[in-house]
Amino acid sequence: MKLSTLAAIALTLGVSTWANADWSQTQNEAKGQTVYFNAWGGSEATNAYIAWAAKEAKTRYGIDVRHVKITDTAEVVKRVQTEMAAGRTSDGSVDLMWVNGENFRNLKNGGLLFGPWAQNLPNWGLVDLNKPVRTDFSVPTEGYESPWGTAQLTFIADSAKTPKPPRSAADLLAFSKANPGRVSYPKPTDFHGTTFVKQMLLELTPNRAVLQQPVTPAAFATATQPLWAYLDQLHPSLWRNGKTFPASAAEMHRMLGDGELKMSITFNPNEAANLIASKQLPASAYSFGFTGGTIGNVHFVAIPVNAHAKAGAQVFANFLLSAEAQTRKADITVWGDGTVLDITKLPTASQAQIRKTAPGALAEVVPTLPEPHASWVEALEAEWLKRYGSR
Amino acid sequence: MAQALRLALERALPQAPSKRPGLPWQWLAALPVMLIFGPLLPGLYWALSPALDATVWQALWLDAQWPQALRSTLISSVLGTLLACGMAALLATLHYPGRLWGSLQRRLPLLLSVPHAAFAVGLFFLIAPSGWLARTIAHFVQWTGPPDWVTVQDPYGLSLALALAIKESWFLLWVLAAVLGEQAVSRQMVMGRSLGYSRTQTWRLILWPQLLPRLRWPVIAVFAYGLSVVDMAIILGPGTPPTLAALIWHWLTDPDPALQARGSAASMILLIVLLTCVLAVRGLLWLMKRHQPYPAGQRKPTASRRWLKLHTPLFLVGYAVVAVLLLWSVAQEWFFPALLPDALSLESWHQADWAPFWTTLWLAMAASLLCLPAVLVWLEWGPKRLNALLYLPLIVPALPLVAGQYATLLHLQLDGTAVALVWSHLLWVLPYMVLTLIGPYRAFDLRLMTSARALGYSPWRACLHVKWPILLRPILATLAVGFAVSVAQYLPTLFAAGGRFVTVTTEAVALSAGGNRRVLAVQALLQIALPMAAFGLAAAAAYWLGRHRKGLR
């Protein structure tokens, strides 16, 4: 741990001497500030990690980080919007938020973000620029958010009941028909559910390149036609005949544990290992992906334009990006969230810690598919709700 | 001699110009209420004005989800209310007065203190396809997987109706118990019985006609709650589409202003539904009054139906909910079809976060204690005709009110402060406390006050030394209800606190997004413990303070 810190400091000094003066000023400003970090609070592993990071920020930088646990990031977007509409242009209630995708796009388009700041962080030099850390669902981040972790859509099953899992959309349809009522996916607009729909869209659409452009009605109609045909076929064999859907991935994990479902879904290839350790899944659970690849993305932290503790938020974001914090986050016994740093730039001890694995985690290489442009999300969700939202 | 002199001296002292409550008293009574309600009005305007646009209504009309959402909302709230009323009325008719009624009353606090969210979680653990019920059956018939039941989150909202019915029947029993505890009511029962009317006849001819008008507001509150409940609907209600309240919550928190406006418009639909149902109930009461058979003098022998042990399943569900939560909070591995966990540990309790518990404690104490003087002063001197105004927060869906409060707090730059948090709770704590106390308060024998005034007490002293001490038991119960209402508040806490204060309720709902039933069970149990302590303390204090006074016990 010590070694990695030293290495991080050494690297930090090497990369960003030019910004040193500015940065020490930011650090001075940050001292004594309270940072309200609005982040999804639905996983104990995540909450425990944020609590650790907050404690470190207090002792190292004198910043008081408070984790505001939320269930849906769209609520935070709404909060910032309402505050700005009410004329509260400074002293807002959100200092830092965990965000990506269409929520980021809404904030950025609405001029609701502070920045650019992310690429001025001393630890930016450690970031692996080969990962998609400068675009978020095809929307350029332009320094308005700092990368925090990587995610990839992964499926979970129980080897005691499902030794041979489905490996593609077509496979899944056959699997579902063979196991009626035991397959489902979270209801979109839950982000796991929306991602499942996007995954099927990527597999079935005639021309994937279209999905990287902002959506148009004509492009939407052509690109999504096979998707709806597929879902129309799939739904009758789903849990409760596809008339209703689980509310979240977490609910699906529970149903998988009890044998109500044969498959669950996650964005963290290591989550199954965590769930086994906390006795939420049986030890025979395992992770798998599709042969053709699954959607992967990066999640970020951003600062609203009316944040009160902008300096404190930047210093904390920089800490989250440090080798030590990223190594700990990637540790499968802590959280197991993929790092955004270039692993080769890290000390060997950190590399070993990051590469550690545990029973249940994704043990195979699954190609990563890029997210469609953020504008597709709302269009897909609206159309899905129109077709299947009320049956 | 000394007594008479003192009275004479007191009378000689300058007094309030009028014996009747003068204008200053009325102002004093109205001031706290104005502080709670006044700032809300501009906020409501800011929050709801987007709905005053025809295109918003057009978009709502075209939305595919709302007709079914309205259907499940109507089924769950109407059925839940009817069942709750039926069960409470049946239990009272069968068992009051009697030993069983007394034991029912003593057992109510435990059940009442289970907040709605915690009860929904517990009920889910019981009746879900992988719940305790299915596990018990699986144990005997050797199922390998959970059955294909639709016992929770059914498309018609029937499981939600069941949960509301059970939960609200306890609330109605509590209200009934408070009313039936009055001396005037119990004397009438004795009178009816001694004239030879059977228990059922006395209930039908004498008690119900008097009690029904007094139970009107509690029943409407129960119905309104069922209409606008969000947390229970998310756990037990349908998902595709959700109930109307959950759908509105979804819309109001959407970043898209068009959807926010649709949420405002849809919450007006809830209001219209409520008004329609209230009018229907009023019509029904009016009809009953018209067709009230005049006691013909026929005495019917008591048809004892005491074998009907309705209370057993009703209470059993409550105990099973608490038991299954307790078990989950200490469970290790516990997958279907295991009837009991493989191993037990206190790990979840050791790792539990107690900060929300303390926040909830001071918040609920501040809210209920601040409201008590306001409630007493309002009931004594406040304008009686305006009581209905106070009840508005109970019958208006909570979502637009919370949005209005939040808009006001933003303009005052007070959001995220402790003051704002307490203020946001008062809007619901105050009406529930008025609602609980108004029945006993109205039924108070005014001759006692007349005597006190005739003996020279000022209105203030007469209340302080005669009226309020006699009403001590309902007042303590009111305090406990206020405390419990504050503990259960989810939406106001979330908005007004700006996430800076976390209560057991917001913590439990945030955790319910994750799937770990152990942590969820711990928070649900903490949520139960607080109101339970309040109800227990209120009952114990009332008993202790009234131990030498027969009429107060």
Side-chain angles (χ1 to χ4, degrees):
Chain A
M1 202 68 91
K2 281 258 169 61
L3 194 69
S4 62
T5 319
L6 284 175
I9 291 168
L11 277 164
T12 301
L13 290 174
V15 176
S16 57
T17 29
W18 60 274
N20 260 350
D22 277 356
W23 186 249
S24 63
Q25 197 192 334
T26 310
Q27 273 190 322
N28 282 337
E29 216 179 303
K31 206 163 278 175
Q33 282 188 334
T34 304
V35 174
Y36 290 99
F37 181 30
N38 285 243
W40 180 69
S43 149
E44 299 107 73
T46 313
N47 295 348
Y49 174 77
I50 294 175
W52 168 82
K55 216 175 84 195
E56 293 297 313
K58 180 80 185 163
T59 48
R60 292 180 198 204
Y61 312 105
I63 307 172
D64 206 358
V65 177
R66 306 256 176 93
H67 180 192
V68 179
K69 290 171 192 152
I70 50 143
T71 48
D72 186 354
T73 308
E75 288 168 32
V76 186
V77 177
K78 163 90 196 299
R79 177 178 283 279
V80 175
Q81 274 179 343
T82 317
E83 284 179 357
M84 289 298 286
R88 195 160 145 189
T89 50
S90 61
D91 204 26
S93 65
V94 183
D95 294 306
L96 189 69
M97 59 188 291
W98 186 8
V99 70
N100 74 356
E102 75 280 10
N103 289 316
F104 170 71
R105 179 170 157 265
N106 282 331
L107 286 167
K108 192 178 168 220
N109 286 354
L112 298 171
L113 287 178
F114 165 74
W117 54 275
Q119 299 186 13
N120 302 338
L121 294 181
N123 284 333
W124 177 261
L126 298 172
V127 172
D128 183 356
L129 297 181
N130 290 323
K131 288 176 179 151
V133 289
R134 282 172 295 186
T135 55
D136 186 353
F137 287 39
S138 306
V139 176
T141 64
E142 291 167 351
Y144 282 93
E145 54 178 1
S146 165
W148 191 21
T150 60
Q152 182 168 22
L153 187 69
T154 305
F155 300 99
I156 309 173
D158 183 351
S159 61
K161 287 167 185 157
T162 314
K164 201 173 160 290
R167 291 291 184 180
S168 67
D171 249 14
L172 182 71
L173 182 61
F175 180 78
S176 179
K177 283 185 170 160
N179 297 281
R182 298 292 187 200
V183 175
S184 195
Y185 59 93
K187 184 193 172 189
T189 56
D190 171 84
F191 70 97
H192 288 105
T194 307
T195 308
F196 176 87
V197 173
K198 284 189 280 185
Q199 171 72 31
M200 296 303 139
L201 174 67
L202 278 167
E203 287 214 16
L204 300 165
T205 197
N207 178 13
R208 274 186 196 173
V210 176
L211 302 178
Q212 299 308 317
Q213 305 302 319
V215 68
T216 61
F220 185 80
T222 337
T224 60
Q225 195 276 326
L227 171 72
W228 309 124
Y230 174 83
L231 291 180
D232 285 341
Q233 267 192 297
L234 178 71
H235 281 186
S237 63
L238 291 186
W239 178 70
R240 292 197 183 173
N241 305 30
K243 290 199 169 75
T244 185
F245 295 83
S248 65
E251 202 175 315
M252 286 184 63
H253 301 332
R254 186 184 58 67
M255 293 162 85
L256 172 66
D258 281 326
E260 239 181 295
L261 291 181
K262 293 219 163 183
M263 272 174 66
S264 187
I265 188 171
T266 175
F267 237 140
N268 178 350
N270 290 328
E271 187 170 15
N274 274 324
L275 292 170
I276 292 173
S278 62
K279 315 266 187 243
Q280 295 182 69
L281 280 183
S284 48
Y286 67 100
S287 303
F288 65 96
F290 280 178
T291 322
T294 52
I295 289 183
N297 68 28
V298 175
H299 47 92
F300 298 81
V301 290
I303 304 175
V305 70
N306 65 344
H308 174 70
K310 292 190 180 92
Q314 287 178 68
V315 173
F316 186 58
N318 187 54
F319 174 67
L320 292 179
L321 211 51
S322 68
E324 186 186 349
Q326 286 276 320
T327 305
R328 191 181 165 89
K329 185 164 67 75
D331 187 336
I332 200 160
T333 55
V334 178
W335 177 2
D337 188 52
T339 180
V340 289
L341 302 186
D342 185 349
I343 300 181
T344 55
K345 290 185 189 167
L346 300 181
T348 40
S350 291
Q351 292 186 20
Q353 206 176 343
I354 286 175
R355 293 213 172 97
K356 207 159 63 178
T357 185
L362 189 66
E364 59 202 35
V365 179
V366 179
T368 310
L369 306 178
E371 285 274 3
H373 187 270
S375 57
W376 284 79
V377 172
E378 273 163 24
L380 274 172
E381 285 177 348
E383 184 65 20
W384 191 95
L385 282 177
K386 209 172 94 189
R387 286 172 181 261
Y388 311 112
S390 50
R391 282 228 166 156
Chain B
M1 184 64 194
Q3 186 91 24
L5 194 68
R6 202 160 67 211
L7 280 173
L9 276 173
E10 267 176 13
R11 231 169 271 137
L13 289 171
Q15 280 192 351
S18 160
K19 295 256 173 179
R20 287 167 174 275
L23 214 51
W25 281 108
Q26 286 207 343
W27 273 108
L28 187 73
L31 187 68
V33 174
M34 271 154 57
L35 276 176
I36 296 172
F37 283 76
L40 184 62
L41 296 177
L44 275 179
Y45 172 74
W46 289 317
L48 291 184
S49 48
L52 301 173
D53 184 349
T55 54
V56 171
W57 287 91
Q58 206 174 2
L60 175 65
W61 186 253
L62 291 174
D63 188 277
Q65 295 181 82
W66 82 268
Q68 279 193 49
L70 182 63
R71 185 188 68 187
S72 57
T73 294
L74 277 179
I75 291 175
S76 59
S77 55
V78 171
L79 199 63
T81 311
L82 287 180
L83 280 174
C85 288
M87 286 195 282
L90 197 60
L91 273 173
T93 315
L94 284 176
H95 300 302
Y96 174 85
R99 210 171 41 80
L100 199 66
W101 181 255
S103 85
L104 266 177
Q105 241 179 296
R106 275 193 301 281
R107 279 184 282 170
L108 269 179
L110 172 72
L111 299 177
L112 268 178
S113 51
V114 180
H116 287 85
F119 179 71
V121 170
L123 196 67
F124 187 96
F125 289 173
L126 284 183
I127 63 171
S130 59
W132 233 2
L133 191 65
R135 286 168 196 241
T136 313
I137 299 174
H139 193 68
F140 293 107
V141 298
Q142 313 296 325
W143 281 336
T144 46
D148 199 7
W149 291 355
V150 192
T151 41
V152 289
Q153 298 167 343
D154 59 289
Y156 296 99
L158 293 175
S159 46
L160 180 59
L162 178 75
L164 282 168
I166 297 171
K167 185 77 186 76
E168 301 300 351
S169 69
W170 299 335
F171 171 71
L172 290 176
L173 277 173
W174 171 264
V175 175
L176 263 174
V179 177
L180 290 173
E182 291 161 22
Q183 296 290 307
V185 177
S186 67
R187 276 202 299 268
Q188 284 173 348
M189 187 46 130
V190 174
M191 183 75 81
R193 298 280 282 149
S194 62
L195 285 173
Y197 289 97
S198 74
R199 176 197 299 273
T200 324
Q201 265 187 310
T202 317
W203 263 106
R204 193 162 52 83
L205 297 173
I206 301 171
L207 294 187
W208 280 129
Q210 295 180 69
L211 292 183
L212 281 181
R214 286 174 64 182
L215 291 175
R216 197 173 60 211
W217 285 114
V219 170
I220 289 174
V222 164
F223 179 62
Y225 186 86
L227 270 184
S228 57
V229 64
V230 172
D231 48 0
M232 274 181 122
I234 288 172
I235 297 164
L236 288 172
T240 323
T243 63
L244 194 54
L247 193 60
I248 293 171
W249 173 64
H250 214 84
W251 281 340
L252 279 177
T253 50
D254 198 281
D256 180 2
L259 280 182
Q260 289 167 27
R262 200 178 299 177
S264 302
S267 48
M268 292 198 180
I269 292 186
L270 278 190
L271 200 60
I272 295 166
V273 169
L274 185 92
L275 281 174
T276 318
C277 287
V278 168
L279 286 178
V281 168
R282 282 194 88 117
L284 215 64
L285 276 178
W286 180 79
L287 272 179
M288 280 174 74
K289 229 184 238 172
R290 261 181 69 117
H291 294 282
Q292 185 60 51
Y294 185 76
Q298 276 182 356
R299 274 73 158 167
K300 287 178 188 154
T302 305
S304 178
R305 270 191 293 266
R306 297 205 156 189
W307 47 264
L308 196 64
K309 300 280 186 234
L310 180 69
H311 62 284
T312 317
L314 196 60
F315 280 64
L316 212 60
V317 172
Y319 296 142
V321 158
V322 178
V324 79
L325 286 174
L326 275 171
L327 212 50
W328 265 113
S329 77
V330 293
Q332 287 272 333
E333 229 166 271
W334 194 13
F335 299 112
F336 191 91
L339 205 52
L340 291 171
D342 291 351
L344 301 181
S345 91
L346 286 175
E347 209 180 301
S348 306
W349 284 99
H350 284 306
Q351 290 167 358
D353 182 9
W354 285 82
F357 179 85
W358 297 116
T359 311
T360 317
L361 185 67
W362 69 251
L363 176 61
M365 276 174 68
S368 53
L369 288 174
L370 272 175
C371 270
L372 185 64
V375 169
L376 289 174
V377 169
W378 173 268
L379 283 176
E380 188 60 34
W381 293 291
K384 302 263 181 299
R385 282 169 295 126
L386 295 184
N387 271 334
L389 194 75
L390 275 195
Y391 295 145
L392 276 180
L394 306 189
I395 59 175
V396 177
L399 281 159
L401 288 179
V402 168
Q405 280 188 333
Y406 182 55
T408 300
L409 290 173
L410 275 182
H411 278 78
L412 294 175
Q413 306 232 330
L414 275 175
D415 63 310
T417 62
V419 179
L421 188 56
V422 174
W423 175 72
S424 73
H425 279 210
L426 296 185
L427 190 65
W428 284 272
V429 173
L430 182 84
Y432 264 108
M433 286 176 76
V434 170
L435 190 67
T436 317
L437 196 55
I438 194 163
Y441 214 90
R442 288 271 171 83
F444 183 79
D445 191 344
L446 279 176
R447 285 173 303 182
L448 286 167
M449 282 298 274
T450 315
S451 308
R453 295 292 305 280
L455 288 171
Y457 267 8
S458 68
W460 171 248
R461 289 188 50 160
C463 280
L464 206 61
H465 292 292
V466 179
K467 195 173 197 176
W468 294 340
I470 291 179
L471 289 172
L472 187 70
R473 208 173 62 142
I475 286 176
L476 284 170
T478 304
L479 210 52
V481 167
F483 187 92
V485 168
S486 170
V487 169
Q489 292 305 317
Y490 172 62
L491 291 170
T493 316
L494 204 64
F495 276 77
R500 297 186 179 190
F501 296 95
V502 179
T503 68
V504 280
T505 309
T506 56
E507 182 77 356
V509 177
L511 282 169
S512 78
N516 194 340
R517 285 185 276 202
R518 292 151 197 86
V519 184
L520 187 58
V522 167
Q523 287 302 324
L525 284 170
L526 285 180
Q527 207 198 353
I528 293 172
L530 278 168
M532 191 165 78
F535 280 112
L537 270 177
Y543 183 79
W544 190 77
L545 290 167
R547 67 197 182 287
H548 298 311
R549 290 167 180 81
K550 189 162 180 288
L552 286 188
R553 256 178 278 160

